[in-house]
Amino acid sequence: MLIVGGGVAGLSASIMLSRMGVEHLLVERRREAAGLPKAHIVSAKTMEIFRQLGLDEVVYKAGSPLDRMERFNWMTSLSGPTPLHGREIGYVDSWGGGDDVPRYARATPCVYTNLSQTKLEPVLFGEAERSAPGSVRYGQELLTITQDDDGAYATLRDVTTGKEWSIETDYVLAADAGRTVGPQIGVGWIGEKQIGQAMIVHFSADLHSWIDDPRVGISIFLSPDNIGHGLWSGALVKMGPTRWGTDAEEWVCHVGVPEGGVPEDEAEVVSLVQRTLGVPEEDFHPVIHSVNKWSIGGDYADRLHVGRILMLGDAAHHHPPAGGLGLNTAVADAQNATWKIAQVVKGYASPSLLHTYEEERQPVARTVVDQAVSTLIAETDAIVGVLGGFEQGAEGWAALERLFSANEEGVRLRASMAKMFRETNFGTRMLGVELGQQYTGSAVVPDGTEPPANDDPIREYVASARPGHRVPHAWIERDSQRFSTIDLAKLDRFVLVVDPAARTAWLEAIAGAAREAATPIELVTIGEHGDYVDVTHNWADVNGLAPGGALLIRPDSFVGWRCATLPADATGALTDAVCSLLGLPPSEFPVAVSGHDAVMSL
């Protein structure tokens, strides 16, 4: 099969397909793996996926410790000539840090990290290349793509030699940011293609003299002298790469694009950054690594599945920066798409299983795009509401002077501002959005139960083992080693979780189901004398099972089916469930086939 695009989504998909033994070829028009530094927040859910791939430790080692990114604040600037410069307007605990640590720890075995695409993509590229040598080819540009009932057909060009070549394959994963594949197959977009534009300036500099709090990972600036897109004047993002406190070596500054476009003169770029930060010109001597323009959009593709082609990552959705949702949604896209592709290519599932990719991931794309857009607007509206208005120039400075004054009005305004920051979702506390996604459709077998009540589905996550939900996290032990129930999911198979007393009955059910459905199913028992021990009893509290019941975990760690008690016909119940998940009527399971092999003409 073919993957078009070598960003985070494409490289993650390549690694996953390799883990499942699916031959593939990834092509990317860039000559090397080094994306823009615009995406950098790696969520706990994404780290769960990297944990499944055995990549969590290397990503954590390269990224920021949580306590060096656990605050997100708004400031007037880092420094400046008046007492109103260099002032913090407010902050929120961010990315599961600060006061949120216990709440996130109950929900997931993983924590967030901060690692720029410029550092993450080479890590993923190295693993993709090691997993499938010769299957990742950079410097190859897609020219055309077509498909019919028999396969998909692409023509490509080597960007160095100009030589054109072709490939025929079964299926295509489009992870090309929507540049080529989508337009050629008629994919449209829903939402705002461009909300705004920003310059991304990646630089090295010593800023520790003007930064007091090592916990702050991102600062947004609000200056009446330099109002840019919306209300903000710019943003500063800590980028490490070896020190993550106030002494970090690298930074990214987001600033508005000047009327004349991105400056070609480096001195002008330095001046823009210096004015945004407010640091003294004579003391600011950055080394500029890159300058790019970023079109900030809030839209999603109207179709994610067209024939033999699935759309992933930026080819499926574009996000404003609020919440750091783009990269993380892309990795989850790859996980959802690849296990389904693998089941179909190996002959375990009907091609109709691929329809469920759009059924499940398009609602997620819509939700996260809408949330990012609304959060971007809510941030500025909330601050303006407390200030009683904010304008460029003297009126804006007067509003800030009232906020920071020592009089009764200033005390009241600062208390109101702190309360607003505690209560407003600034995009850094969205555990419900991240872990509370609920899939419906034919790749989930409902059990008749209702979703758990949740008064704040954006920030709060309510654990549930209901079909269509991510399997809840609980700590379990085996041979004195601790694991999470999240670790039970395997990319290349379904996992049936039961209590030890029902082991024999469900083993017989798996053997019986294999006569109709050849997909691998692994049995795992949790409980006394089982494969794992429920040491905290949290698993028993959240799984919704009575003695003898079973839970079927899909390869992407979502619950596909739940049977609360041991049925009279366990074989029939399991067979029906698995065939339903795979799009196969019982007793009509196809003979396993290997699928099209890629045919290249060089």
Side-chain angles (χ1 to χ4, degrees):
M1 71 166 292
L2 177 67
I3 303 171
V4 182
V8 170
L11 290 168
S12 297
S14 173
I15 297 167
M16 294 169 188
L17 290 172
S18 293
R19 295 287 194 273
M20 292 181 281
V22 177
E23 293 187 6
H24 62 280
L25 178 70
L26 183 152
V27 293
E28 163 60 48
R29 65 187 180 88
R30 292 174 298 160
R31 290 183 171 87
E32 59 183 11
L36 296 179
K38 64 179 183 178
H40 53 94
I41 295 298
V42 185
S43 74
K45 176 63 177 117
T46 298
M47 291 307 303
E48 288 181 2
I49 297 173
F50 288 158
R51 180 181 174 110
Q52 186 182 47
L53 298 175
L55 296 176
D56 53 328
E57 290 186 8
V58 66
V59 174
Y60 278 132
K61 184 176 180 180
S64 169
L66 181 60
D67 64 0
R68 291 297 180 261
M69 57 182 289
E70 64 182 357
R71 279 198 174 182
F72 174 103
N73 71 354
W74 285 70
M75 301 187 68
T76 58
S77 62
L78 291 185
S79 181
T82 75
L84 297 178
H85 289 85
R87 301 293 293 269
E88 183 177 74
I89 297 169
Y91 75 88
V92 291
D93 289 331
S94 59
W95 322 122
D99 292 341
D100 284 334
V101 167
R103 187 164 62 93
Y104 276 66
R106 288 191 296 271
T108 172
C110 298
V111 297
Y112 278 76
T113 190
N114 179 14
L115 184 63
S116 166
Q117 273 182 269
T118 59
K119 302 294 191 296
L120 178 58
E121 283 189 16
V123 169
L124 297 178
F125 171 81
E127 182 62 27
E129 180 61 30
R130 281 190 295 273
S131 299
S135 295
V136 180
R137 299 181 59 179
Y138 276 63
Q140 308 299 319
E141 180 183 17
L142 179 73
L143 300 178
T144 66
I145 188 152
T146 58
Q147 57 181 327
D148 58 26
D149 291 342
D150 297 320
Y153 315 92
T155 58
L156 301 104
R157 177 173 58 211
D158 188 302
V159 298
T160 300
T161 66
K163 188 172 183 178
E164 295 185 9
W165 54 286
S166 63
I167 181 172
E168 176 185 349
T169 187
D170 265 343
Y171 297 102
V172 177
L173 297 181
D176 63 341
R179 292 186 184 92
T180 306
V181 178
Q184 291 194 26
I185 62 175
V187 172
W189 290 85
I190 300 170
E192 297 183 67
K193 192 71 175 177
Q194 184 170 294
I195 297 173
Q197 290 188 325
M199 280 176 52
I200 311 171
V201 183
H202 179 204
F203 65 97
S204 292
D206 182 359
L207 300 181
H208 82 275
S209 297
W210 305 291
I211 298 177
D212 297 325
D213 193 341
R215 297 170 294 179
V216 175
I218 302 175
S219 293
I220 307 293
F221 300 115
L222 178 66
S223 169
D225 292 340
N226 189 24
I227 293 179
H229 168 67
L231 184 67
W232 63 274
S233 307
L236 181 67
V237 182
K238 190 188 301 181
M239 289 293 178
T242 62
R243 299 192 299 271
W244 290 95
T246 62
D247 58 348
E249 308 100 310
E250 295 183 15
W251 308 83
V252 161
C253 185
H254 295 259
V255 300
V257 179
E259 289 186 6
V262 177
E264 295 184 5
D265 183 6
E266 184 173 295
E268 187 176 348
V269 172
V270 171
S271 180
L272 279 170
V273 174
Q274 179 265 322
R275 293 199 304 270
T276 298
L277 303 182
V279 299
E281 183 178 356
E282 62 273 17
D283 296 329
F284 185 57
H285 307 290
V287 175
I288 304 296
H289 301 302
S290 67
V291 181
N292 295 279
K293 182 173 71 173
W294 180 18
S295 291
I296 302 171
D299 56 354
Y300 59 93
D302 61 359
R303 290 180 293 169
L304 303 188
H305 172 223
V306 182
R308 295 175 173 272
I309 301 172
L310 305 182
M311 319 299 292
L312 314 181
D314 284 351
H317 37 78
H318 300 135
H319 306 251
L325 297 168
L327 179 154
N328 298 297
T329 306
V331 175
D333 289 344
Q335 186 191 41
N336 189 290
T338 53
W339 80 260
K340 294 173 179 177
I341 286 277
Q343 291 284 320
V344 172
V345 168
K346 292 181 177 182
Y348 300 149
S350 163
S352 66
L353 178 62
L354 302 185
H355 294 303
T356 68
Y357 173 73
E358 182 174 302
E359 285 181 338
E360 296 182 349
R361 296 306 297 173
Q362 191 177 52
V364 171
R366 179 170 59 248
T367 296
V368 295
V369 167
D370 289 347
Q371 184 58 39
V373 171
S374 63
T375 297
L376 194 67
I377 296 170
E379 291 175 358
T380 55
D381 286 350
I383 292 174
V384 171
V386 175
L387 291 175
F390 189 82
E391 302 292 337
Q392 192 159 8
E395 291 185 15
W397 285 115
L400 291 174
E401 188 169 7
R402 290 193 297 272
L403 175 68
F404 293 117
S405 69
N407 60 25
E408 184 177 332
E409 181 186 27
V411 172
R412 177 183 60 79
L413 284 173
R414 288 192 294 278
S416 296
M417 188 71 76
K419 181 175 184 293
M420 180 276 295
F421 269 89
R422 286 194 303 272
E423 297 177 351
T424 302
N425 173 28
F426 276 75
T428 67
R429 308 172 74 189
M430 296 197 290
L431 189 62
V433 171
E434 181 183 352
L435 299 182
Q437 298 165 359
Q438 302 175 27
Y439 291 157
T440 59
S442 56
V444 171
V445 180
D447 67 353
T449 59
E450 294 296 321
N454 189 345
D455 294 333
D456 187 355
I458 302 302
R459 284 192 285 192
E460 298 297 334
Y461 164 70
V462 179
S464 174
R466 178 176 177 266
H469 294 244
R470 160 189 166 273
V471 65
H473 158 62
W475 290 116
I476 52 180
E477 283 189 3
R478 182 173 187 172
D479 299 330
S480 300
Q481 292 186 334
R482 189 171 72 161
F483 299 87
S484 167
T485 47
I486 299 294
D487 300 327
L488 298 177
K490 303 292 188 297
L491 268 177
D492 62 347
R493 66 195 61 198
F494 290 88
V495 175
L496 189 69
V497 182
V498 305
D499 66 72
R503 177 183 179 87
T504 299
W506 285 111
L507 275 176
E508 292 174 354
I510 290 174
R515 291 192 289 269
E516 299 288 345
T519 189
I521 302 174
E522 178 179 329
L523 184 75
V524 169
T525 59
I526 299 178
E528 189 176 1
H529 307 302
D531 300 318
Y532 298 89
V533 179
D534 182 11
V535 288
T536 63
H537 302 292
N538 288 343
W539 175 245
D541 292 340
V542 297
N543 62 31
L545 300 177
L551 197 73
L552 189 66
I553 303 175
R554 305 187 329 182
D556 59 354
S557 80
F558 278 73
V559 177
W561 173 67
R562 180 171 63 178
C563 186
T565 60
L566 181 64
D569 181 9
T571 296
L574 180 61
T575 301
D576 287 348
V578 173
C579 288
S580 178
L581 290 173
L582 298 175
L584 303 171
S587 78
E588 295 185 21
F589 190 83
V591 177
V593 294
S594 61
H596 264 332
D597 292 326
V599 178
M600 288 179 285
S601 176
L602 299 177

